[in-house]
Amino acid sequence: MVSQTLIDAMRRVSALLQTGDFRIAHEQLETIVVDNPDFVEAQRLLAGAKQALGDAAGAEKLLREALARDPDWMPTLATLGELLLSSGRGAEAEALLQRAVAGSPPYPRAALLLARHYNDLQRPAQALAVAAPFCVGGKADAELAAQHIAALAALGRHHEAVTDCRRIVAAAPDNLAAAHALAIALDVAAEPAEAERVARDVLARGHKTAALYNTHARTLIALGAFERAEATLRDCLRLEPRMADAQSNLARLIWMRTGDSAQATATLDRALQTFANDDALWAAKAAILQGAGDARAAYACLAAQAAHAQAAPALLVRAGLSALEFDPAIALTLAERALRASPSDTAARKLMVAAQLGIGDARGALPHCDTLLANAPDDQYLIALQTTAWRLLGDERYAEFCDYAQLVLPQQLEAPPSWTDLASFFADLKRSLDRLHNPHGHPLLFQSLRHGTETTEDLTRNPDPAIQALFKTFAAPIRNYLAHIGHGFGPLRRRNNGSWRFNGSWSVKLRTSGYHNSHVHPRGWISSACYIDLPDSMANTQSQDGVLTFGEPSIATIPALRSEHAIRPGVGMLVLFPSYFWHGTVPFSSEQTRLTVAFDVVPSRQNAE
């Protein structure tokens, strides 16, 4: 039986761990373990303190000793599994976590770790099998519910997640954890307005957790309520400063408001002063710096941690993504290390391919492309990497997959029935879209645009009559495009079953010198650019200002590759093209702005008209 003295000591230690006082907690836990050698929970927490202080090897040794003393203590199994996952030893970790999930009683933390692992590996069916037994009764915490919903969404069943959550909430209205899960499901299903109402209601009922504040903030961002979202994220981080997702979202909002990376990462820096060995926080900071345009600073942020022999594969990949922009050879070394530690790591293999193209080894990149595409044949970024390798090698398949003249189709829109002509329609539409753009805002991080703003909500759900009319006018051109490309072999035509649905939509307003870096849309199938308002200077046919270009990769290649096809925009023009086509725009010079709407389309069993 555990004494009250030991219980009190463990409570003090838990408080120290929560506040990041790992060294003091470590000292106290060492004393507790010496005095209570059979108390495996103290050994487990001591291992956690060692890991937080950077001693992963010592943590693993201690956890294995604790497991030898009590093989059925589920928290030890889960903690060791988590440590092994972070070091890239997925197969070992899975075996331990599966034992904990199947324990008596089953251990939810192990289910969370395993479901997240399977989702990260793009194995949603396995993630669903692990998470569902904990979630069907509405008793899972927000993190596990989020993994359950993510698995359903990856399987194209996000509406099923909403239906299940509604059923649970209807049967148990006082189940606030289930209501939180409903907010998550609605957010994933692109229903941010209802998700926000549900999250706000659960907060008002006293369920003020960091996870719920983060969910509420995500819905506010989707609705464009940036000031409220920022305040909500600060509430979240006061409760849990180590929540990397919330830290990233807050940094993005501050960047949009200030355009200053130092201000954007200030809250992250304060958290890192306390949690100096938290890889997720360091990775979040590096991503923000890279998104703000400083890849070298992003790499420098992680270089010391990445130099450690036992650096986690996820950290190596994040450092490699930064290095890819200025030294593909460094990125290749980091990708190789990550793959040695975790051979099934998809992100590491993607980095490997991009880095190999960057050093001129297109032939070596192709087998990795084949491996990746076998598991994710519709990933448009992977297809873009594969076709880039073919182009570098002079492979005839490139011309077939990237027939720009045939597969890039400009079409002129017609005015909707409620407007007399296209000019009056676009005048109303411009006013509606302008209201969604912050005139003093900065570009979203991690987006292709430079010198402009982009909306955050899914425009297909905006109730504005002109915006709704615009998306109805897209139906006929999309049908024309499907008829134009036909059916057959390849990543575009083989998915053409004649049906479609929108899969994300947004508006971009570029200012003088504005442009889009070359990019692809990884989760699309057919992508678009629709021109609502253009600077007068772009009417000059002798100028390349604002031209839409195709074929130039966003990554470095040897030899360097240039664009191969261009479309001169015109007001009222809709351009449709495969989502795996590299595309960007040439900068323009004008005091007038350039206003566009874009969307992605994916196949659907039912037409989305």
Side-chain angles (χ1 to χ4, degrees):
M1 183 174 177
V2 179
S3 69
Q4 186 60 47
T5 301
L6 181 54
I7 291 173
D8 292 341
M10 291 296 286
R11 283 175 179 162
R12 288 193 295 272
V13 165
S14 294
L16 291 168
L17 293 172
Q18 282 291 108
T19 56
D21 293 325
F22 298 116
R23 200 163 298 283
I24 298 174
H26 184 279
E27 293 171 1
Q28 295 187 12
L29 282 164
E30 282 189 318
T31 301
I32 293 171
V33 168
V34 169
D35 294 342
N36 304 271
D38 294 325
F39 188 35
V40 294
E41 179 61 7
Q43 288 181 289
R44 185 182 76 87
L45 292 180
L46 178 57
K50 285 184 180 295
Q51 188 176 4
L53 292 169
D55 183 9
E60 182 179 345
K61 180 175 181 292
L62 198 58
L63 287 168
R64 292 194 183 279
E65 290 173 0
L67 203 56
R69 279 196 170 88
D70 187 349
D72 297 322
W73 184 238
M74 300 302 130
T76 305
L77 282 168
T79 302
L80 180 55
E82 185 170 12
L83 186 150
L84 294 173
L85 281 180
S86 69
S87 62
R89 293 145 70 184
E92 289 181 77
E94 283 183 39
L96 292 169
L97 293 171
Q98 285 164 351
R99 277 175 58 193
V101 169
S104 182
Y107 193 54
R109 174 70 182 172
L112 166 65
L113 296 167
L114 199 52
R116 182 189 294 150
H117 173 62
Y118 288 143
N119 276 328
D120 288 346
L121 293 179
Q122 298 179 15
R123 290 152 62 182
Q126 289 174 279
L128 186 62
V130 170
F134 295 85
C135 296
V136 291
K139 296 179 180 178
D141 69 11
E143 287 186 287
L144 183 52
Q147 294 302 321
H148 181 233
I149 292 162
L152 285 169
L155 294 167
R157 297 162 57 186
H158 48 280
H159 294 299
E160 179 181 325
V162 173
T163 300
D164 288 347
C165 289
R166 288 195 197 280
R167 173 182 51 78
I168 294 168
V169 170
D174 293 330
N175 186 338
L176 300 184
H180 183 183
L182 174 59
I184 295 170
L186 288 164
D187 183 47
V188 170
E191 298 281 358
E194 186 179 358
E196 190 277 329
R197 288 194 297 273
V198 172
R200 178 161 31 93
D201 176 67
V202 180
L203 282 168
R205 294 165 68 187
H207 192 67
K208 296 185 177 181
T209 65
L212 181 55
Y213 277 120
N214 189 42
T215 300
H216 191 213
R218 290 170 64 91
T219 67
L220 291 167
I221 292 170
L223 294 170
F226 300 136
E227 290 185 11
R228 290 174 60 200
E230 185 174 331
T232 302
L233 286 168
R234 293 189 188 281
D235 288 337
C236 167
L237 293 169
R238 275 191 285 271
L239 293 173
E240 181 45 84
R242 299 179 72 179
M243 189 175 286
D245 180 58
Q247 288 280 9
S248 294
N249 284 333
L250 178 60
R252 296 182 195 202
L253 290 176
I254 296 171
W255 167 264
M256 286 170 59
R257 177 166 52 79
T258 66
D260 185 323
S261 60
Q263 289 188 56
T265 57
T267 304
L268 257 170
D269 287 338
R270 284 194 293 274
L272 284 166
Q273 289 173 4
T274 302
F275 305 102
N277 291 300
D278 192 309
D279 282 354
L281 291 179
W282 282 111
K285 180 175 180 179
I288 296 300
L289 293 174
Q290 185 173 2
D294 196 343
R296 291 182 183 275
Y299 176 73
C301 184
L302 299 178
Q305 294 96 317
H308 294 157
Q310 300 302 317
L315 185 135
L316 294 173
V317 170
R318 181 62 260 173
L321 289 171
S322 302
L324 189 63
E325 291 198 23
F326 61 88
D327 193 334
I330 294 176
L332 181 61
T333 299
L334 291 165
E336 290 170 339
R337 286 178 57 198
L339 279 174
R340 281 197 297 271
S342 181
S344 60
D345 191 317
T346 299
R349 200 169 296 278
K350 284 183 180 180
L351 175 62
M352 169 81 83
V353 172
Q356 286 176 308
L357 296 178
I359 65 166
D361 185 16
R363 197 168 302 281
L366 280 176
H368 294 291
C369 288
D370 292 340
T371 299
L372 290 163
L373 284 163
N375 294 319
D378 298 328
D379 185 320
Q380 304 295 294
Y381 178 65
L382 293 179
I383 299 165
L385 292 177
Q386 182 185 58
T387 55
T388 299
W390 288 341
R391 180 179 173 187
L392 289 165
L393 293 169
D395 191 304
E396 62 185 15
R397 289 173 291 184
Y398 172 71
E400 182 181 354
F401 278 47
C402 297
D403 184 348
Y404 299 110
Q406 175 68 15
L407 300 180
V408 177
L409 183 63
Q411 301 177 71
Q412 194 68 21
L413 294 179
E414 296 184 2
S418 298
W419 281 265
T420 56
D421 54 45
L422 199 62
S424 62
F425 171 54
F426 270 34
D428 289 346
L429 180 61
K430 182 178 183 300
R431 282 190 289 270
S432 298
L433 293 172
D434 281 344
R435 286 194 289 269
L436 303 178
H437 287 275
N438 179 354
H440 307 295
H442 295 268
L444 300 179
L445 292 175
F446 314 108
Q447 301 298 327
S448 64
L449 76 153
R450 298 293 182 268
H451 307 295
T453 56
E454 181 174 323
T455 57
T456 57
E457 67 174 283
D458 184 344
L459 293 182
T460 63
R461 299 180 182 276
N462 189 295
D464 182 275
I467 295 174
Q468 283 296 304
L470 175 68
F471 281 88
K472 289 178 181 177
T473 67
F474 291 150
I478 292 169
R479 285 196 303 269
N480 290 343
Y481 188 76
L482 296 183
H484 173 76
I485 63 173
H487 307 276
F489 171 75
L492 182 68
R493 293 184 175 94
R494 67 173 166 75
R495 298 175 71 188
N496 184 6
N497 60 13
S499 68
W500 56 273
R501 64 178 174 85
F502 292 115
N503 190 42
S505 55
W506 57 96
S507 173
V508 171
K509 178 184 281 190
L510 295 179
R511 300 185 291 270
T512 185
S513 302
Y515 64 99
H516 282 273
N517 278 328
S518 192
H519 62 287
V520 300
H521 296 189
R523 289 178 293 278
W525 171 47
I526 297 166
S527 294
S528 65
C530 180
Y531 299 94
I532 311 302
D533 190 39
L534 298 174
D536 294 338
S537 61
M538 287 177 58
N540 180 1
T541 58
Q542 303 304 310
S543 168
Q544 293 298 301
D545 274 15
V547 167
L548 174 62
T549 61
F550 294 91
E552 180 176 355
S554 69
I555 57 173
T557 60
I558 295 179
L561 298 175
R562 303 303 178 198
S563 63
E564 296 186 306
H565 188 73
I567 296 290
R568 178 170 296 281
V571 173
M573 178 188 290
L574 172 66
V575 185
L576 296 174
F577 51 89
S579 297
Y580 63 83
F581 277 9
W582 297 110
H583 59 284
T585 61
V586 177
F588 68 92
S589 299
S590 174
E591 293 306 309
Q592 298 170 298
T593 57
R594 174 185 181 274
L595 183 65
T596 58
V597 166
F599 57 83
D600 287 336
V601 159
V602 295
S604 172
R605 289 194 179 96
Q606 294 181 342
N607 201 303
E609 295 176 57

